[in-house]
Coordinates of all heavy atoms in Angstrom, one line a residue:
G1 N 90.0 108.2 84.7 CA 90.2 106.9 85.3 C 89.2 106.6 86.4 O 88.4 107.5 86.8
T2 N 89.2 105.4 86.8 CA 88.3 104.9 87.9 C 89.0 105.0 89.2 O 90.1 104.7 89.4 CB 87.9 103.5 87.6 OG1 87.3 103.4 86.3 CG2 86.9 103.0 88.7
R3 N 88.2 105.6 90.2 CA 88.8 105.6 91.6 C 88.8 104.2 92.1 O 87.9 103.4 91.9 CB 87.9 106.4 92.5 CG 87.9 107.9 92.2 CD 87.1 108.7 93.1 NE 87.0 110.1 92.7 CZ 86.3 111.0 93.2 NH1 85.4 110.7 94.2 NH2 86.3 112.2 92.8
G4 N 89.9 103.9 92.8 CA 90.0 102.6 93.4 C 91.4 102.4 94.1 O 92.1 103.4 94.3
S5 N 91.8 101.2 94.4 CA 93.1 101.0 95.0 C 93.9 99.9 94.4 O 94.8 99.3 95.0 CB 92.9 100.7 96.5 OG 92.2 99.5 96.7
A6 N 93.6 99.5 93.1 CA 94.2 98.4 92.5 C 95.6 98.8 92.0 O 95.9 99.9 91.5 CB 93.4 98.0 91.2
D7 N 96.6 97.9 92.3 CA 97.9 98.0 91.7 C 97.8 97.6 90.3 O 96.9 96.8 89.9 CB 98.9 97.1 92.4 CG 99.2 97.6 93.9 OD1 99.0 98.8 94.2 OD2 99.8 96.8 94.6
G8 N 98.7 98.0 89.4 CA 98.7 97.6 88.0 C 99.6 98.5 87.2 O 100.3 99.4 87.7
V9 N 99.6 98.3 85.9 CA 100.4 99.1 85.0 C 99.5 100.0 84.2 O 98.4 99.6 83.7 CB 101.2 98.2 84.0 CG1 102.0 99.0 83.0 CG2 102.1 97.2 84.8
G10 N 99.9 101.3 84.1 CA 99.2 102.3 83.3 C 97.8 102.5 83.8 O 97.5 102.6 85.0
D11 N 96.8 102.5 82.9 CA 95.4 102.7 83.3 C 94.7 101.6 84.0 O 93.6 101.6 84.4 CB 94.6 103.2 82.2 CG 94.4 102.3 81.0 OD1 95.0 101.1 81.1 OD2 93.8 102.7 80.0
A12 N 95.4 100.4 84.2 CA 94.9 99.3 85.0 C 95.1 99.7 86.5 O 94.4 99.1 87.4 CB 95.6 98.0 84.7
A13 N 95.9 100.6 86.9 CA 96.1 101.0 88.2 C 95.0 102.0 88.6 O 94.5 102.8 87.8 CB 97.5 101.7 88.4
E14 N 94.7 102.0 89.9 CA 93.6 102.9 90.4 C 94.2 103.6 91.7 O 94.8 103.0 92.5 CB 92.4 102.1 90.8 CG 91.7 101.4 89.6 CD 90.6 100.5 90.0 OE1 90.6 100.0 91.2 OE2 89.7 100.3 89.2
L15 N 93.9 104.9 91.8 CA 94.2 105.7 92.9 C 92.9 106.4 93.3 O 91.9 106.5 92.6 CB 95.2 106.7 92.6 CG 96.6 106.2 92.1 CD1 97.4 107.3 91.5 CD2 97.3 105.5 93.2
N16 N 92.9 106.9 94.6 CA 91.7 107.6 95.1 C 92.2 108.8 95.9 O 92.3 108.7 97.1 CB 90.8 106.7 95.9 CG 89.5 107.3 96.3 OD1 89.2 108.4 95.8 ND2 88.7 106.6 97.1
G17 N 92.5 109.9 95.2 CA 92.9 111.1 95.9 C 94.4 111.2 96.0 O 94.9 111.5 97.0
P18 N 95.1 111.1 94.9 CA 96.6 111.3 94.9 C 96.8 112.8 95.1 O 96.3 113.6 94.3 CB 97.0 110.8 93.5 CG 95.8 111.0 92.6 CD 94.7 110.7 93.5
V19 N 97.5 113.1 96.2 CA 97.6 114.5 96.5 C 99.1 115.1 96.6 O 99.3 116.3 96.5 CB 97.0 114.9 97.9 CG1 95.5 114.7 97.8 CG2 97.5 114.0 99.0
E20 N 100.0 114.2 96.7 CA 101.4 114.7 96.8 C 102.3 113.6 96.1 O 102.1 112.4 96.2 CB 101.8 114.8 98.3 CG 103.2 115.2 98.5 CD 103.4 116.7 98.6 OE1 102.5 117.5 98.6 OE2 104.6 117.1 98.5
V21 N 103.3 114.1 95.5 CA 104.3 113.2 94.8 C 105.7 113.6 95.1 O 106.0 114.8 95.2 CB 104.1 113.4 93.2 CG1 105.1 112.5 92.5 CG2 102.7 113.0 92.8
A22 N 106.5 112.6 95.3 CA 108.0 112.8 95.5 C 108.7 111.9 94.6 O 108.2 110.8 94.3 CB 108.4 112.5 97.0
I23 N 109.9 112.3 94.1 CA 110.6 111.4 93.2 C 111.9 110.9 93.9 O 112.5 111.6 94.7 CB 110.9 112.2 91.9 CG1 111.4 111.2 90.9 CG2 111.9 113.3 92.1 CD1 111.3 111.6 89.4
S24 N 112.2 109.7 93.6 CA 113.5 109.1 94.2 C 114.7 109.9 93.7 O 114.6 110.5 92.6 CB 113.6 107.6 93.8 OG 113.7 107.5 92.4
P25 N 115.8 109.9 94.4 CA 117.0 110.6 94.0 C 117.5 110.2 92.6 O 118.0 111.1 91.9 CB 118.0 110.3 95.1 CG 117.2 110.0 96.3 CD 116.0 109.3 95.8
D26 N 117.3 109.0 92.2 CA 117.8 108.6 90.9 C 116.8 108.8 89.8 O 117.0 108.5 88.6 CB 118.3 107.1 90.9 CG 117.1 106.1 91.1 OD1 116.0 106.5 91.3 OD2 117.4 104.9 91.2
G27 N 115.6 109.3 90.2 CA 114.5 109.6 89.2 C 113.8 108.4 88.6 O 112.9 108.6 87.7
S28 N 114.0 107.2 89.2 CA 113.3 106.0 88.7 C 111.9 105.8 89.2 O 111.2 105.0 88.6 CB 114.2 104.8 88.9 OG 114.3 104.5 90.3
T29 N 111.6 106.4 90.4 CA 110.4 106.0 91.1 C 109.7 107.3 91.6 O 110.3 108.1 92.2 CB 110.7 105.1 92.3 OG1 111.4 103.9 91.8 CG2 109.4 104.6 93.0
L30 N 108.4 107.4 91.4 CA 107.6 108.4 92.0 C 106.9 107.8 93.2 O 106.4 106.6 93.1 CB 106.5 108.9 91.0 CG 106.9 109.6 89.8 CD1 105.7 109.9 88.9 CD2 107.6 110.9 90.1
F31 N 106.8 108.5 94.3 CA 106.0 108.0 95.5 C 104.8 109.0 95.6 O 104.9 110.2 95.5 CB 106.9 108.1 96.7 CG 108.0 107.2 96.7 CD1 109.3 107.6 96.3 CD2 107.9 105.8 97.1 CE1 110.3 106.7 96.2 CE2 108.9 104.9 97.0 CZ 110.2 105.4 96.6
V32 N 103.7 108.4 95.8 CA 102.4 109.1 95.7 C 101.7 108.9 97.1 O 101.5 107.7 97.5 CB 101.5 108.6 94.6 CG1 100.2 109.4 94.5 CG2 102.2 108.7 93.3
A33 N 101.2 110.0 97.7 CA 100.4 109.9 98.9 C 98.9 109.7 98.3 O 98.4 110.6 97.7 CB 100.5 111.2 99.7
D34 N 98.4 108.6 98.5 CA 97.0 108.2 98.0 C 96.0 108.4 99.2 O 95.7 107.5 100.0 CB 97.0 106.8 97.6 CG 95.8 106.4 96.7 OD1 94.9 107.2 96.6 OD2 95.8 105.3 96.2
L35 N 95.5 109.7 99.3 CA 94.8 110.2 100.4 C 93.7 109.3 100.9 O 93.6 108.9 102.0 CB 94.3 111.6 100.1 CG 93.6 112.4 101.2 CD1 94.6 112.9 102.2 CD2 92.9 113.6 100.6
F36 N 92.7 109.0 100.0 CA 91.5 108.3 100.4 C 91.7 106.8 100.5 O 90.8 106.1 101.1 CB 90.3 108.7 99.6 CG 90.0 110.2 99.6 CD1 90.1 111.0 98.5 CD2 89.7 110.8 100.8 CE1 89.9 112.3 98.6 CE2 89.4 112.1 100.9 CZ 89.5 112.9 99.8
N37 N 92.8 106.3 100.0 CA 93.1 104.9 100.1 C 93.9 104.6 101.4 O 94.2 103.5 101.7 CB 93.8 104.3 98.9 CG 92.8 104.0 97.8 OD1 91.7 103.6 98.0 ND2 93.2 104.2 96.6
H38 N 94.4 105.7 102.0 CA 95.3 105.6 103.2 C 96.5 104.7 102.9 O 96.9 103.9 103.7 CB 94.5 105.0 104.4 CG 93.2 105.6 104.6 ND1 93.0 106.9 105.1 CD2 91.9 105.2 104.3 CE1 91.7 107.2 105.1 NE2 91.0 106.2 104.6
K39 N 97.1 105.0 101.7 CA 98.3 104.2 101.3 C 99.3 105.1 100.7 O 99.0 106.2 100.2 CB 97.9 103.2 100.2 CG 96.9 102.1 100.6 CD 96.6 101.2 99.5 CE 95.7 100.1 99.9 NZ 95.4 99.1 98.8
I40 N 100.6 104.6 100.6 CA 101.6 105.2 99.9 C 101.9 104.3 98.7 O 102.1 103.1 98.8 CB 102.9 105.4 100.7 CG1 102.6 106.3 101.9 CG2 104.0 106.0 99.8 CD1 102.1 107.6 101.7
R41 N 101.9 104.9 97.5 CA 102.0 104.1 96.3 C 103.3 104.5 95.6 O 103.8 105.6 95.8 CB 100.9 104.3 95.3 CG 99.5 104.3 96.0 CD 99.0 103.0 96.5 NE 98.7 102.1 95.4 CZ 97.6 102.1 94.8 NH1 96.6 103.0 95.0 NH2 97.3 101.2 93.8
Q42 N 103.9 103.6 94.8 CA 105.1 103.9 94.0 C 104.8 103.6 92.6 O 104.0 102.7 92.2 CB 106.3 103.2 94.5 CG 106.3 101.7 94.2 CD 107.6 101.1 94.7 OE1 108.4 101.7 95.4 NE2 107.9 99.9 94.3
V43 N 105.3 104.5 91.7 CA 105.1 104.3 90.3 C 106.5 104.2 89.7 O 107.4 105.1 89.8 CB 104.4 105.6 89.7 CG1 104.2 105.4 88.2 CG2 103.1 105.8 90.4
A44 N 106.8 103.1 89.0 CA 108.0 103.0 88.2 C 108.0 103.9 87.0 O 107.1 103.7 86.2 CB 108.2 101.5 87.9
V45 N 108.8 104.8 86.9 CA 108.8 105.8 85.8 C 108.9 105.1 84.5 O 108.2 105.4 83.5 CB 109.9 106.9 86.0 CG1 110.0 107.8 84.8 CG2 109.6 107.7 87.3
A46 N 109.8 104.1 84.4 CA 110.1 103.5 83.1 C 108.9 102.7 82.6 O 108.7 102.6 81.3 CB 111.3 102.6 83.2
T47 N 108.1 102.1 83.5 CA 107.1 101.2 83.0 C 105.6 101.6 83.3 O 104.7 101.1 82.8 CB 107.2 99.8 83.7 OG1 107.0 99.9 85.1 CG2 108.6 99.2 83.4
G48 N 105.5 102.6 84.2 CA 104.2 103.0 84.7 C 103.5 102.0 85.6 O 102.3 102.1 85.9
A49 N 104.3 101.1 86.1 CA 103.7 100.1 87.1 C 103.5 100.8 88.5 O 104.4 101.4 89.0 CB 104.7 98.9 87.3
V50 N 102.3 100.6 89.0 CA 101.9 101.2 90.3 C 101.8 100.1 91.3 O 101.1 99.1 91.0 CB 100.6 102.0 90.2 CG1 100.2 102.5 91.6 CG2 100.7 103.1 89.2
T51 N 102.5 100.2 92.4 CA 102.4 99.2 93.5 C 102.2 99.9 94.8 O 102.7 101.1 95.0 CB 103.6 98.3 93.6 OG1 104.8 99.1 93.7 CG2 103.7 97.4 92.3
T52 N 101.7 99.3 95.8 CA 101.5 99.8 97.1 C 102.8 99.5 97.9 O 103.2 98.4 98.0 CB 100.3 99.2 97.8 OG1 99.1 99.4 97.0 CG2 100.1 99.7 99.2
V53 N 103.3 100.6 98.5 CA 104.5 100.5 99.3 C 104.2 100.3 100.8 O 104.8 99.5 101.4 CB 105.4 101.8 99.2 CG1 106.6 101.7 100.1 CG2 105.8 102.0 97.8
A54 N 103.2 101.0 101.2 CA 102.8 101.0 102.6 C 101.4 101.4 102.8 O 100.9 102.2 102.1 CB 103.7 101.8 103.5
G55 N 100.7 100.8 103.8 CA 99.4 101.2 104.1 C 98.4 100.0 103.9 O 98.5 99.3 102.9
S56 N 97.5 99.8 104.9 CA 96.6 98.7 104.8 C 95.3 99.0 104.1 O 94.6 98.1 103.7 CB 96.2 98.3 106.3 OG 95.5 99.4 106.9
G57 N 95.1 100.3 103.8 CA 93.9 100.7 103.2 C 92.8 101.1 104.2 O 91.7 101.6 103.9
T58 N 93.1 100.9 105.5 CA 92.2 101.3 106.6 C 92.8 102.4 107.3 O 94.0 102.4 107.6 CB 92.0 100.1 107.6 OG1 91.5 99.0 106.9 CG2 91.1 100.5 108.7
A59 N 92.1 103.5 107.6 CA 92.6 104.7 108.3 C 93.0 104.3 109.7 O 92.3 103.5 110.3 CB 91.5 105.8 108.4
G60 N 94.2 104.8 110.1 CA 94.7 104.4 111.4 C 96.0 105.0 111.6 O 96.5 105.8 110.8
S61 N 96.7 104.6 112.6 CA 98.1 105.1 112.9 C 98.8 103.9 113.5 O 98.7 103.7 114.7 CB 98.0 106.3 113.9 OG 99.3 106.7 114.2
A62 N 99.6 103.2 112.7 CA 100.3 102.1 113.2 C 101.6 102.0 112.4 O 101.7 102.1 111.2 CB 99.5 100.8 113.0
D63 N 102.7 101.8 113.1 CA 104.0 101.5 112.5 C 104.0 100.1 111.9 O 103.3 99.3 112.4 CB 105.1 101.6 113.5 CG 105.4 103.0 114.0 OD1 105.0 104.0 113.4 OD2 105.9 103.2 115.1
G64 N 104.7 99.9 110.9 CA 104.8 98.6 110.3 C 105.4 98.7 108.9 O 105.6 99.7 108.4
V65 N 105.6 97.5 108.4 CA 106.1 97.4 107.0 C 105.0 96.9 106.1 O 104.2 96.1 106.4 CB 107.3 96.3 107.0 CG1 107.8 96.1 105.6 CG2 108.4 96.8 107.9
G66 N 105.0 97.6 104.9 CA 104.0 97.2 103.9 C 102.6 97.4 104.4 O 102.3 98.5 104.9
D67 N 101.7 96.4 104.2 CA 100.3 96.6 104.6 C 100.1 96.5 106.1 O 99.0 96.7 106.6 CB 99.4 95.7 103.9 CG 99.6 94.2 104.1 OD1 100.5 93.9 105.0 OD2 99.0 93.4 103.5
A68 N 101.1 96.3 106.9 CA 101.0 96.4 108.4 C 101.0 97.8 108.9 O 100.5 98.1 110.0 CB 102.1 95.6 109.1
A69 N 101.5 98.8 108.0 CA 101.4 100.2 108.4 C 100.0 100.7 108.2 O 99.3 100.3 107.3 CB 102.4 100.9 107.5
Q70 N 99.7 101.7 109.0 CA 98.4 102.4 108.8 C 98.6 103.9 108.8 O 99.3 104.4 109.6 CB 97.4 102.0 109.9 CG 96.8 100.6 109.7 CD 95.7 100.4 110.7 OE1 95.8 100.7 111.9 NE2 94.6 99.8 110.3
F71 N 97.9 104.6 107.9 CA 97.9 106.0 107.8 C 96.5 106.5 107.8 O 95.6 105.8 107.4 CB 98.6 106.5 106.5 CG 99.9 105.9 106.2 CD1 100.1 104.9 105.3 CD2 101.0 106.4 106.9 CE1 101.4 104.4 105.1 CE2 102.3 105.9 106.7 CZ 102.5 104.9 105.8
S72 N 96.3 107.7 108.3 CA 95.0 108.3 108.1 C 95.1 109.5 107.2 O 95.7 110.5 107.6 CB 94.4 108.8 109.5 OG 93.2 109.4 109.3
H73 N 94.7 109.4 106.0 CA 94.8 110.4 105.0 C 96.2 110.9 104.8 O 96.5 112.1 105.1 CB 93.8 111.5 105.3 CG 92.4 111.1 105.4 ND1 91.8 110.8 106.6 CD2 91.5 110.8 104.4 CE1 90.5 110.4 106.3 NE2 90.3 110.4 105.0
P74 N 97.1 110.1 104.3 CA 98.5 110.6 104.0 C 98.4 111.8 103.0 O 97.8 111.7 102.0 CB 99.2 109.4 103.4 CG 98.1 108.6 102.9 CD 96.9 108.8 103.7
A75 N 99.0 112.9 103.4 CA 98.9 114.1 102.7 C 100.2 114.6 102.1 O 100.2 115.4 101.1 CB 98.2 115.2 103.5
T76 N 101.3 114.2 102.6 CA 102.6 114.7 102.2 C 103.5 113.5 102.2 O 103.5 112.7 103.1 CB 103.1 115.8 103.1 OG1 102.2 116.9 103.2 CG2 104.4 116.4 102.6
V77 N 104.4 113.4 101.2 CA 105.4 112.4 101.1 C 106.7 113.0 100.6 O 106.7 113.9 99.8 CB 104.9 111.2 100.2 CG1 104.7 111.7 98.8 CG2 105.8 110.0 100.2
A78 N 107.8 112.5 101.2 CA 109.1 113.0 100.9 C 110.1 111.9 101.0 O 109.9 111.0 101.7 CB 109.5 114.2 101.8
V79 N 111.1 112.0 100.1 CA 112.2 111.0 100.1 C 113.5 111.6 100.6 O 113.8 112.7 100.2 CB 112.4 110.4 98.7 CG1 113.4 109.3 98.7 CG2 111.1 109.9 98.2
S80 N 114.2 110.9 101.5 CA 115.5 111.4 101.9 C 116.5 111.5 100.7 O 116.3 110.8 99.7 CB 116.1 110.5 103.0 OG 116.4 109.3 102.5
P81 N 117.5 112.4 100.8 CA 118.4 112.6 99.7 C 119.1 111.3 99.2 O 119.4 111.2 98.1 CB 119.4 113.6 100.2 CG 118.7 114.4 101.3 CD 117.7 113.3 101.9
D82 N 119.4 110.4 100.2 CA 120.0 109.1 99.7 C 119.0 108.0 99.4 O 119.4 106.9 99.0 CB 121.0 108.6 100.8 CG 120.3 108.2 102.1 OD1 119.0 108.3 102.2 OD2 121.0 107.7 103.0
G83 N 117.7 108.3 99.4 CA 116.7 107.4 99.0 C 116.4 106.3 100.0 O 115.6 105.4 99.8
S84 N 117.0 106.4 101.2 CA 116.8 105.3 102.2 C 115.6 105.4 103.1 O 115.2 104.5 103.7 CB 118.1 105.2 103.1 OG 118.2 106.3 103.9
T85 N 115.0 106.6 103.1 CA 113.9 106.9 104.1 C 112.8 107.6 103.3 O 113.0 108.6 102.6 CB 114.4 107.7 105.3 OG1 115.5 107.1 105.9 CG2 113.3 107.9 106.3
L86 N 111.6 107.1 103.6 CA 110.4 107.8 103.1 C 109.6 108.4 104.2 O 109.3 107.7 105.2 CB 109.5 106.7 102.4 CG 108.3 107.1 101.6 CD1 108.7 108.0 100.4 CD2 107.5 105.9 101.1
L87 N 109.4 109.7 104.2 CA 108.6 110.4 105.2 C 107.2 110.7 104.7 O 107.0 111.1 103.6 CB 109.3 111.7 105.5 CG 110.8 111.6 106.0 CD1 111.4 113.0 106.1 CD2 110.9 110.9 107.4
V88 N 106.3 110.5 105.7 CA 104.8 110.7 105.3 C 104.2 111.5 106.4 O 104.4 111.2 107.6 CB 104.1 109.3 105.2 CG1 102.7 109.5 104.9 CG2 104.8 108.4 104.2
R89 N 103.5 112.6 106.1 CA 102.7 113.3 107.0 C 101.2 113.0 106.7 O 100.8 113.0 105.6 CB 102.9 114.8 106.9 CG 102.1 115.6 108.0 CD 102.2 117.1 107.8 NE 101.6 117.6 106.6 CZ 100.3 117.8 106.4 NH1 99.5 117.5 107.3 NH2 99.9 118.2 105.2
T90 N 100.5 112.8 107.8 CA 99.1 112.3 107.6 C 98.1 113.3 108.2 O 98.5 114.3 108.9 CB 98.9 111.0 108.3 OG1 99.0 111.1 109.7 CG2 99.8 109.9 107.8
G91 N 96.8 113.1 107.9 CA 95.8 113.9 108.5 C 95.7 113.8 110.0 O 95.2 114.7 110.6
N92 N 96.2 112.8 110.6 CA 96.2 112.7 112.0 C 97.6 113.2 112.6 O 97.9 112.9 113.7 CB 95.9 111.3 112.6 CG 96.8 110.2 112.0 OD1 97.7 110.5 111.2 ND2 96.6 109.0 112.4
T93 N 98.3 114.0 111.7 CA 99.6 114.6 112.0 C 100.7 113.7 112.5 O 101.6 114.1 113.1 CB 99.4 115.8 113.0 OG1 99.0 115.3 114.3 CG2 98.4 116.8 112.5
T94 N 100.6 112.4 112.2 CA 101.6 111.5 112.5 C 102.7 111.6 111.4 O 102.4 111.8 110.2 CB 101.1 110.1 112.5 OG1 100.1 110.0 113.5 CG2 102.2 109.1 112.8
L95 N 104.0 111.5 111.8 CA 105.1 111.6 110.9 C 105.9 110.4 111.1 O 106.2 109.9 112.1 CB 105.9 112.8 111.2 CG 107.1 113.1 110.2 CD1 106.6 113.4 108.8 CD2 108.0 114.2 110.7

């Protein structure tokens, strides 16, 4: 595939350095740490649709929802057992 940051379905979606994957407790969603895009992406298992959950695409460290959040090289992603919380460890060691 092509490196990039486009959301989409199947091979229309683009990632750039997917390094860690976590699955939702119900198995319906994969969460992907997209290292070089500085984003957290989700993949709907049933459809293959990829969307950005969080991250502006610019390296940084900022709390926020959706693209207001900033990560610097997110390297690890985990989902809480009840699916309510997504934890991300980044290259700037922010959690």
Side-chain angles (χ1 to χ4, degrees):
T2 302
R3 291 181 185 173
S5 64
D7 290 343
V9 178
D11 60 4
E14 297 172 335
L15 302 169
N16 189 7
V19 293
E20 177 88 14
V21 176
I23 192 158
S24 63
D26 66 3
S28 66
T29 305
L30 296 174
F31 294 95
V32 181
D34 195 354
L35 186 73
F36 298 117
N37 282 325
H38 312 289
K39 295 180 178 184
I40 302 302
R41 315 293 288 282
Q42 70 179 14
V43 181
V45 173
T47 65
V50 177
T51 55
T52 301
V53 175
S56 66
T58 300
S61 179
D63 292 339
V65 176
D67 62 4
Q70 286 188 315
F71 306 103
S72 180
H73 300 98
T76 304
V77 63
V79 182
S80 65
D82 67 359
S84 67
T85 305
L86 188 63
L87 301 171
V88 179
R89 184 185 64 80
T90 67
N92 55 0
T93 64
T94 303
L95 183 67

